[in-house]
Amino acid sequence: MASFGYALQGIREALLSEPHLRFHALATAAVVALGFWLRVPRHDWALLALAVGAVWTAELLNTAVETIIDLVSPDFHPLAGRAKDVAAGAVLLMALAAVVVGLLVLGPPLWAKALALSSQR
């Protein structure tokens, strides 16, 4: 049980200290709200949950990598910079993949809803 508490504390600390993670939290809230509004089916929720979870996981791992590098290499070192850049690249790649998933899942029903709303005018 204590392990869950430590894990939740780690997420909390990352949310408080990492602006990018707060952006991901806002994006997650927007995706969830849009999903409810569009009434996406259960299998689409699974895809959205996997995409959101993957982005959060990548961001948390990036935060852990950067924290460890700052601990062991407080002064600039090219390899430390490279490791941080690669970890950040992993987050970027996962975020782009999540955007694609979001467009594929939410795009068609959003487009249909927009057409329906525009035809009512």
Side-chain angles (χ1 to χ4, degrees):
M1 203 60 178
S3 295
F4 287 112
Y6 295 137
L8 291 173
Q9 180 63 24
I11 294 169
R12 180 182 172 279
E13 287 178 18
L15 270 168
L16 294 174
S17 66
E18 298 297 321
H20 292 112
L21 198 57
R22 289 192 296 274
F23 172 79
H24 293 307
L26 186 62
T28 298
V31 165
V32 169
L34 199 54
F36 278 121
W37 184 62
L38 295 171
R39 295 186 177 121
V40 297
R42 188 176 347 168
H43 64 277
D44 286 346
W45 277 113
L47 295 171
L48 293 173
L50 286 171
V52 165
V55 170
W56 277 73
T57 300
E59 188 65 59
L60 289 169
L61 287 172
N62 179 53
T63 299
V65 166
E66 288 186 354
T67 302
I68 291 168
I69 290 170
D70 289 345
L71 175 67
V72 300
S73 182
D75 297 326
F76 176 78
H77 190 282
L79 290 177
R82 182 175 175 197
K84 285 183 172 187
D85 291 346
V86 170
V91 175
L92 176 62
L93 187 62
M94 191 63 251
L96 291 173
V99 167
V100 170
V101 170
L103 289 173
L104 290 171
V105 169
L106 300 173
L110 186 59
W111 183 254
K113 193 159 247 203
L115 289 176
L117 290 173
S118 68
S119 69
Q120 291 176 354
R121 292 181 182 184

